Amino acid sequence: MGGNYLWRQLHSSCPIQTINFRSAKPRNSYPSKKTLTSQSNKKLQNSSTSDSDIVKWNIAITTHMRNGRCESALRVFNSMSRRSSVSYNAMISGYLKNHKFDLATDLFDKMPERDLFSWNVMLTGYVRNRDLTTARALFERMPERDIVSWNAMLSGYAQNGFIDEAREIFDKMPLKNGISWNGLLAAYVQNGRIEDAKRLFESKMDWMLVSWNCLMGGFVRKRRLVDARSVFDRMPVRDEVSWNTIITGYAQNGEMEEARRLFEESPIQDVFTWTAMVSGYVQNGKLGEARTIFDRMPEKNSVSWNAMIAGYVQCKRMDMARELFEAMPSRDASSWNTMITGYCQSGDIAHARNLFDNMPQRDSISWSAMIAGYSQNACSEEALHFFVEMQRDGERLNRSSFTCALSTCSNIAALELGKQLHCRLVKAGYQTGWFVGNALLAMYCKCGSIDEARDAFQEILEKDVVSWNTMIHGYARHGFGAEALIVFELMKTAGIRPDDATMVSVLSACSHAGLVDKGSEYFYSMNRDYGITAKLVHYTCMVDLLGRAGQLEEAQNLMKNMPFEPDAATWGALLGASRIHGNTELGEKAAQIIFEMEPHNSGMYILLSKLYAASGRWSDAGKMRLEMRNKGVKKVPGYSWLEVQNKIHTFKVGDKSHPHTDKIYTFLEEMDLKLKQEGYISSTKSVFHDVEEEEKVHMLKYHSEKLAVAYGILYIPAGRPIRVIKNLRVCEDCHNAIKYISKIVGRLIILRDNHRFHYFEGGSCSCRDYW
């Protein structure tokens, strides 16, 4: 291209030779036939050269566009003295491929003459950009259409899930080809409309092999193996995709004998066939058979290795997974990510981090796996630190990383950090999807902001059963039983069928709100109304509901008559109810059974000790502490924390390690006088040590939740709620004291313990002392 241009410039600058007229012969005024022929040939030669130049310019434009050099392509285009429709089409197509739709549209509108190819290029560009409204308007404006135009419009609708619109285009097509039929069939399959796909398939005889495979694959994804096998058996010809699809179908559904039989029968056993068998055995927990097939493989690819490694990871056999990982001839990102995930799930975060640091190349899955690993292993600060580092590293934040970070905020109740994540979600366009939307909803619920949780719930465009369950459970934990049941009714109205988890949340809501009759009604009707058979967890909820309401005999009768043996959680619910209502005899019975089931459950020892202490049985309370020491049972230390200015501040009982300890303790000493003036009396029965009353009062004064509340009042601006989290159940004395404190300082104090939320305001609590 550049050479021809310089050549023309060079010769245009050469001086024209002068003619010597004295030596020239007289000129004939009429050209000869030879001259005319010569001139005609020169004109043809010049015309041919011009067309050749246009072709070269067009190739240059296409090359520049293909390499993303739009400005260079435009310079070539503008330098052309004459352009063809191909020149315009090359520019428009290039703009569209480089996502410069405005420039493409502007040039298309300026075209002196458009051909059918020009219209199709623009139409295809809009379809690829998912601007189907503009694409359809352009389609309707086209002066003529060919099969390419119709297929482009059909493909646009089909690939974006507008199946009915795709069918409308299909039905209007004057002529259909294999692309048209296969496009609609694939759209039906990919969108789960398998019956429509089946009807379309049966309306035509001469389908291509790819279409047979597509329909069979659709049946496999729907776990309709009988239909998939019917298609397979009727296929006029099969390829490796056909065999691999049906083998995978049987393997994924646990029918390994049939999968193995087909595998042995298959005339084509490529690496994908072998890998399908390995994956099948892995998914069905048959690692021995999987390893046998793996070792027999004549050829392995990274998918084969990763499938076998994933099998060991799923079974927590990280030593074998590591052995295979080290033996891999070539590792890809998936190999590294699988190992990192395995170590994280096994609690070996150090090994996971070591692998992460040594990865040759990380992707968003690698970062998300580490964030999830830290979050799941209670390393919340590290999880959030990794989230920040992921952004600094330039890795695009995906749904998984956002979800893991939100889950971390939920665990530590870091509401302000969660809100910042919410803002980023909005900018990224993720907030309305159910996957991230559910994590956002759970974050607000667990951080004690139920109003913002409700807003997040309403913003989820397509709510799934998890969305509804999370909202119901959120209201239940916050003590808003009536609201939880309203959402449950709305769920049914929306056509979402309740599941096991739904009913657990509903029964929990009734328990927290003391709605015994309503809870009993839901429990005994859930099989009839929703086809849900009550499991042990549902019976435990009912024991808790009845026990809290003081119906201890009814709770015991339910335990005797239920179709399961009560587990430690069920007996624990009865023990908790015995403590609330002071039934020492029943509490002892429940505790002894729990100790046999879970001899190292420190929480149950503490509950029984408190029951003895409340009854004045100090000797028995002391025996409990002694028994814990003899058995090596360690009491889980209680601690409370809150978020202030994006930092987490943690406190233990009697804690003096905080930088502002002096101010906190001074505040509590002053508050103690005000509390007594308001009529507060320490609930010393919460102390299960046989010491003097004055010492009991002193021991209660500096519990972790009181220290956290004091810090919140001092350093969180007035008008904003104080949100405190405690890892254990709030004690009776702290619960009583915080009610008085909320009235004295005029602040809303929200406390989340390991059981529920408490909203303290104006001297009362949302639980109405029923917890």
Side-chain angles (χ1 to χ4, degrees):
M1 181 190 71
N4 286 335
Y5 178 73
L6 292 172
W7 184 87
R8 289 202 302 276
Q9 291 291 314
L10 174 66
H11 283 274
S12 64
S13 62
C14 290
I16 300 174
Q17 292 181 345
T18 56
I19 300 174
N20 187 344
F21 285 103
R22 283 176 296 180
S23 62
K25 294 181 180 179
R27 293 180 65 189
N28 189 340
S29 58
Y30 296 99
S32 65
K33 182 177 180 182
K34 182 179 179 180
T35 302
L36 287 171
T37 302
S38 175
Q39 289 177 347
S40 176
N41 287 337
K42 285 181 180 180
K43 286 181 180 179
L44 287 171
Q45 186 177 357
N46 289 339
S47 174
S48 175
T49 301
S50 178
D51 288 344
S52 175
D53 284 344
I54 291 173
V55 170
K56 290 176 181 177
W57 299 127
N58 292 343
I59 292 172
I61 290 171
T62 302
T63 302
H64 283 311
M65 286 297 193
R66 188 179 295 128
N67 291 285
R69 300 191 295 264
C70 297
E71 292 183 2
S72 299
L74 181 60
R75 281 196 294 271
V76 173
F77 182 78
N78 287 336
S79 70
M80 296 175 70
S81 58
R82 186 164 71 89
R83 306 178 185 110
S84 67
S85 61
V86 176
S87 314
Y88 281 91
N89 292 340
M91 284 296 296
I92 292 169
S93 178
Y95 278 141
L96 290 171
K97 288 177 181 176
N98 286 282
H99 307 290
K100 298 183 181 296
F101 299 97
D102 292 340
L103 294 176
T105 302
D106 183 60
L107 190 58
F108 179 77
D109 293 337
K110 291 177 180 177
M111 280 187 75
E113 184 177 348
R114 305 183 191 105
D115 57 17
L116 180 57
F117 185 83
S118 314
W119 288 92
N120 283 340
V121 166
M122 277 304 298
L123 179 64
T124 304
Y126 282 125
V127 165
R128 286 176 180 168
N129 194 41
R130 298 184 177 182
D131 188 354
L132 298 184
T133 302
T134 307
R136 184 60 182 265
L138 187 75
F139 180 78
E140 297 296 342
R141 283 173 47 209
M142 292 179 70
E144 62 173 321
R145 307 181 189 110
D146 62 3
I147 191 71
V148 175
S149 321
W150 287 95
N151 282 340
M153 202 66 240
L154 187 151
S155 174
Y157 282 131
Q159 291 175 6
N160 288 280
F162 298 101
I163 311 305
D164 294 333
E165 289 80 356
R167 183 61 196 244
E168 176 202 350
I169 292 292
F170 180 82
D171 290 338
K172 289 181 178 179
M173 291 179 72
L175 180 66
K176 303 176 182 71
N177 62 7
I179 295 174
S180 319
W181 286 91
N182 292 332
L184 186 60
L185 180 72
Y188 279 140
V189 169
Q190 290 165 8
N191 286 273
R193 293 174 57 168
I194 196 68
E195 287 302 322
D196 289 326
K198 184 179 179 182
R199 280 191 290 272
L200 180 70
F201 195 84
E202 291 172 349
S203 69
K204 182 175 178 286
M205 297 296 294
D206 54 335
W207 288 94
M208 294 188 290
L209 176 59
V210 66
S211 307
W212 286 89
N213 287 337
C214 177
L215 182 63
M216 180 170 59
F219 282 129
V220 165
R221 282 195 290 275
K222 287 287 186 179
R223 299 184 178 275
R224 292 173 55 172
L225 285 186
V226 173
D227 291 311
R229 185 58 181 266
S230 173
V231 172
F232 179 79
D233 290 340
R234 289 188 290 123
M235 291 178 74
V237 63
R238 305 180 186 117
D239 62 2
E240 60 269 22
V241 175
S242 318
W243 286 95
N244 291 345
T245 300
I246 194 67
I247 290 170
T248 300
Y250 280 114
Q252 289 177 346
N253 285 275
E255 298 189 29
M256 290 308 301
E257 288 187 13
E258 185 61 18
R260 184 65 177 262
R261 194 187 67 76
L262 285 168
F263 172 74
E264 301 294 350
E265 183 183 325
S266 174
I268 311 168
Q269 290 181 348
D270 60 11
V271 66
F272 300 103
T273 321
W274 285 89
T275 303
M277 288 300 298
V278 172
S279 298
Y281 280 124
V282 164
Q283 290 167 12
N284 289 280
K286 299 181 178 180
L287 282 187
E289 292 87 340
R291 185 59 188 262
T292 300
I293 293 290
F294 179 80
D295 290 339
R296 281 179 53 200
M297 289 181 72
E299 176 192 359
K300 302 179 181 78
N301 61 13
S302 60
V303 179
S304 320
W305 286 91
N306 291 340
M308 197 64 238
I309 290 172
Y312 285 126
V313 165
Q314 289 167 15
C315 294
K316 309 292 184 188
R317 295 178 62 180
M318 292 305 299
D319 53 338
M320 295 298 296
R322 186 63 182 251
E323 181 183 307
L324 274 185
F325 178 75
E326 297 290 352
M328 280 187 77
S330 177
R331 307 181 191 108
D332 59 14
S334 180
S335 319
W336 291 86
N337 293 339
T338 301
M339 289 298 296
I340 289 171
T341 302
Y343 278 124
C344 286
Q345 291 174 348
S346 299
D348 192 348
I349 201 74
H351 265 103
R353 177 62 185 268
N354 181 262
L355 281 174
F356 179 85
D357 290 340
N358 287 289
M359 282 184 77
Q361 187 172 1
R362 306 181 186 109
D363 58 16
S364 60
I365 298 173
S366 320
W367 286 93
S368 297
M370 283 304 303
I371 295 169
Y374 277 125
S375 179
Q376 291 162 4
N377 287 280
C379 303
S380 301
E381 290 186 20
E382 291 86 346
L384 293 175
H385 170 74
F386 248 72
F387 182 79
V388 173
E389 287 300 311
M390 180 179 179
Q391 298 170 80
R392 288 179 182 167
D393 197 58
E395 191 65 53
R396 184 177 179 272
L397 298 174
N398 58 12
R399 286 179 174 84
S400 180
S401 56
F402 270 117
T403 300
C404 292
L406 285 169
S407 177
T408 303
C409 291
S410 300
N411 293 338
I412 61 175
L415 180 61
E416 295 306 316
L417 285 172
K419 286 182 176 180
Q420 292 173 26
L421 284 174
H422 189 176
C423 291
R424 298 193 180 195
L425 279 171
V426 172
K427 290 179 182 178
Y430 287 145
Q431 82 279 10
T432 57
W434 58 263
F435 183 69
V436 175
N438 289 343
L440 188 64
L441 169 60
M443 185 274 293
Y444 280 122
C445 284
K446 292 181 179 179
C447 288
S449 186
I450 197 67
D451 290 337
E452 288 173 295
R454 184 188 61 246
D455 293 340
F457 175 73
Q458 291 173 345
E459 287 176 5
I460 300 174
L461 297 181
E462 295 184 10
K463 301 175 181 67
D464 63 358
V465 68
V466 176
S467 314
W468 290 95
N469 289 350
T470 304
M471 193 71 247
I472 295 169
H473 184 67
Y475 274 129
R477 281 206 69 183
H478 282 260
F480 302 127
E483 289 81 355
L485 298 184
I486 288 172
V487 174
F488 177 57
E489 294 301 326
L490 289 173
M491 175 186 185
K492 294 187 291 183
T493 302
I496 304 296
R497 190 176 181 84
D499 62 8
D500 290 350
T502 314
M503 298 314 300
V504 170
S505 296
V506 167
L507 294 173
S508 177
C510 294
S511 181
H512 285 306
L515 303 173
V516 178
D517 292 340
K518 197 69 178 173
S520 298
E521 179 186 332
Y522 283 128
F523 177 76
Y524 289 109
S525 66
M526 65 183 188
N527 184 268
R528 180 194 67 217
D529 294 344
Y530 319 117
I532 298 172
T533 302
K535 295 182 172 59
L536 183 56
V537 65
H538 299 109
Y539 279 94
T540 301
C541 287
M542 279 302 296
V543 171
D544 184 63
L545 171 64
L546 295 169
R548 285 174 182 276
Q551 299 182 20
L552 297 176
E553 188 176 344
E554 289 83 349
Q556 290 183 81
N557 289 334
L558 181 65
M559 291 174 66
K560 290 176 183 176
N561 296 320
M562 65 186 195
F564 313 98
E565 283 296 319
D567 64 0
T570 315
W571 285 108
L574 190 63
L575 173 56
S578 302
R579 186 191 69 84
I580 292 171
H581 298 286
N583 192 325
T584 308
E585 183 182 348
L586 181 59
E588 283 182 311
K589 175 185 174 183
Q592 290 306 321
I593 295 174
I594 295 170
F595 296 154
E596 292 174 8
M597 293 180 171
E598 298 180 355
H600 291 85
N601 188 330
S602 63
M604 297 300 107
Y605 284 94
I606 302 302
L607 263 181
L608 185 56
S609 295
K610 288 184 177 181
L611 181 55
Y612 284 143
S615 305
R617 293 170 58 177
W618 301 111
S619 175
D620 291 324
K623 287 178 181 177
M624 280 292 100
R625 294 196 301 275
L626 182 61
E627 190 173 346
M628 287 178 69
R629 281 197 298 270
N630 292 338
K631 290 183 177 180
V633 179
K634 294 184 179 180
K635 180 181 180 294
V636 177
Y639 55 91
S640 301
W641 69 93
L642 76 167
E643 180 190 23
V644 179
Q645 295 180 345
N646 287 344
K647 291 184 179 178
I648 303 299
H649 299 262
T650 306
F651 301 89
K652 295 182 292 185
V653 60
D655 198 343
K656 293 188 178 181
S657 63
H658 196 275
H660 296 103
T661 291
D662 290 343
K663 288 185 179 181
I664 295 170
Y665 275 69
T666 299
F667 175 86
L668 285 176
E669 290 296 336
E670 294 172 354
M671 180 57 64
D672 189 48
L673 296 174
K674 295 176 183 179
L675 286 169
K676 290 175 180 175
Q677 290 171 2
E678 287 290 330
Y680 160 75
I681 300 174
S682 296
S683 179
T684 54
K685 66 178 182 180
S686 300
V687 180
F688 52 92
H689 293 276
D690 187 14
V691 295
E692 294 297 326
E693 194 72 13
E694 186 177 342
E695 189 175 347
K696 290 181 183 178
V697 171
H698 183 77
M699 293 171 70
L700 293 169
K701 191 183 296 184
Y702 303 114
H703 273 193
S704 64
E705 51 265 62
K706 288 179 183 173
L707 295 174
V709 167
Y711 183 76
I713 293 170
L714 288 169
Y715 291 98
I716 294 176
R720 294 179 59 187
I722 297 163
R723 292 181 168 86
V724 174
I725 314 298
K726 184 170 183 182
N727 67 324
L728 303 177
R729 187 187 181 104
V730 61
C731 80
E732 185 177 338
D733 179 72
C734 287
H735 186 273
N736 191 32
I738 296 172
K739 284 195 297 184
Y740 280 96
I741 292 172
S742 70
K743 179 182 178 182
I744 293 169
V745 300
R747 302 287 295 269
L748 170 62
I749 302 170
I750 301 172
L751 173 65
R752 185 188 97 185
D753 65 11
N754 68 345
H755 198 65
R756 62 165 294 159
F757 280 88
H758 301 266
Y759 285 66
F760 299 96
E761 189 171 24
S764 63
C765 179
S766 60
C767 73
R768 301 187 302 278
D769 297 333
Y770 187 85
W771 95 99

